[in-house]
Structure formats: structure tokens, C-alpha cells
Amino acid sequence: MNKLSIVAKVSIFIAIGCIATLWFVPMWRIDLAAPQYPEGIFMQIWINDIKGDVDIINGLNHYIGMKTIHKEDFREFVYLPAALGIFCVLGLVVLLRNRRRAFYIWTALLLAMAALSMYDFWKWEYDYGHNLDPSAPIKVPGMAYQPPLIGYKKMLNFEALSQPDAGGWFFIAAVVLLTAVSVYEWKRAKKMI
């Protein structure tokens, strides 16, 4: 039988719920700390916006020649909500079709979306930290200011921590859940042969 188990059907609802949280909570967070900001400053990335101490960060980045951050500069804020919305609708289609192969394809689509999103974020950070204005007031030869994709990095007197925020953890939970259930469905199918 090629039909989905109850585990797979429930996982579709849970994954859609996890993805839906991204419209209500931020997906990523970058925290910065320095002696002149002992309380720290931060930036939160949502699926369609950037919030937090963006104006302060833009003011600081001016001195080292980094580009300013503006919501309008990110085409991702247009296509990411649409892509995730389509993904959720496709989940309901998979549920209605009730076929294992459709579930595998849907899971692979989420894995591809996650990998592409991380690559796109890394590429943005690379450009942001390496393509500096040559007329910036502060120049440190050979220094790049690329924030970490994930984890900690010290840049001059700033410490940066980049990590998933609440929505990011829900997204990761959806990826892990669908991957685990795909493996479960595959093993279940092999036993039936």
C-alpha cells in the first residue's frame, strides 16, 4: 500500500502549524555586544521585515563602510512568505492525495527551501561584510565584517551571536519532523514488501 500512515498525516498538520508561526514570530536573531553597548543591541529577521536596533546598527556600520540595512533591499521579504504559503497549501494537497511519494516530494521541497534560504542568508552576509565603502572613516586592512551565519564571532570590539529565533526553531522542528517521518514511512513501506 502506498497510503500514508496516521503518523505521516498528523505530521503534516504539525509541520504546517510550525511553518505558520513564521507569520507571528521572528525567524532569526543577531545580537551584538560591545563595551559602548553593555546592554547589547540586536536585529530580528522576520519573513517579511527586519526589526530591532536597525538604526543604531546602520549608524555603527557607516563608520566601517558597511551598507545600511533597509527592508526594501530584500526581495526575500516578498517571495519567502509566498513560498511558505504555497508550501503549506501543498501540504494539504499531500494530505488529500494520501500518497507516500507525494509526502517524500513535499519533504524534499522543504529541505531544498531550507538549504536555499541558508545559502541566500550566507550570501547576503558575505556581501554585507566584504563589499565595504572604500571611503569609510575606519579602515582595517584585510578585515572583513561578515556576521556569522550561525554561532559566535568577534569583530573588532564587537561580539556577534547569530542564531534562530522562535520562528526559526519552529521551522527547524518542521524540517526534522518531516525528515524523520519520511524515514519512518520508507521503513514501513519496505516491511510491507
Side-chain angles (χ1 to χ4, degrees):
M1 291 190 69
N2 192 24
K3 294 195 175 189
L4 293 172
S5 68
I6 189 70
V7 172
K9 291 175 183 177
V10 169
S11 74
I12 291 171
F13 284 112
I14 294 171
I16 289 172
C18 287
I19 299 295
T21 65
L22 290 168
W23 275 272
F24 306 103
V25 294
M27 62 181 178
W28 210 264
R29 179 182 180 101
I30 299 175
D31 290 285
L32 300 168
Q36 65 269 40
Y37 293 97
E39 71 286 353
I41 54 178
F42 72 97
M43 179 172 69
Q44 288 179 313
I45 302 169
W46 296 64
I47 63 168
N48 61 355
D49 203 358
I50 296 178
K51 296 182 181 179
D53 301 313
V54 179
D55 290 337
I56 295 170
I57 292 168
N58 280 339
L60 290 167
N61 289 346
H62 160 75
Y63 292 105
I64 55 174
M66 292 175 92
K67 297 176 192 172
T68 54
I69 301 167
H70 303 284
K71 174 184 172 180
E72 301 77 31
D73 296 336
F74 296 92
R75 64 186 187 280
E76 294 85 351
F77 292 156
V78 173
Y79 72 72
L80 189 57
L84 290 171
I86 290 167
F87 178 79
C88 290
V89 170
L90 286 175
L92 296 175
V93 171
V94 169
L95 187 64
L96 291 173
R97 287 207 30 112
N98 193 24
R99 294 287 180 261
R100 205 175 291 120
R101 182 182 164 129
F103 186 86
Y104 296 153
I105 292 169
W106 188 59
T107 300
L109 181 64
L110 183 62
L111 288 167
M113 197 182 317
L116 183 63
S117 295
M118 290 305 287
Y119 172 73
D120 187 59
F121 186 40
W122 174 85
K123 198 170 77 172
W124 173 79
E125 286 185 325
Y126 183 89
D127 179 60
Y128 182 70
H130 287 83
N131 293 325
L132 306 174
D133 181 353
S135 63
I138 299 173
K139 294 181 198 77
V140 180
M143 181 72 180
Y145 302 97
Q146 180 180 357
L149 179 63
I150 187 165
Y152 168 86
K153 184 177 183 181
K154 185 153 176 76
M155 298 177 287
L156 297 178
N157 66 332
F158 274 88
E159 297 181 58
L161 178 63
S162 177
Q163 61 189 338
D165 209 321
W169 288 114
F170 277 110
F171 185 86
I172 291 167
V175 170
V176 169
L177 174 66
L178 292 183
T179 302
V181 172
S182 289
V183 170
Y184 168 78
E185 287 292 307
W186 179 73
K187 286 183 177 180
R188 183 174 155 264
K190 282 184 78 170
K191 284 181 185 176
M192 292 179 174
I193 296 175

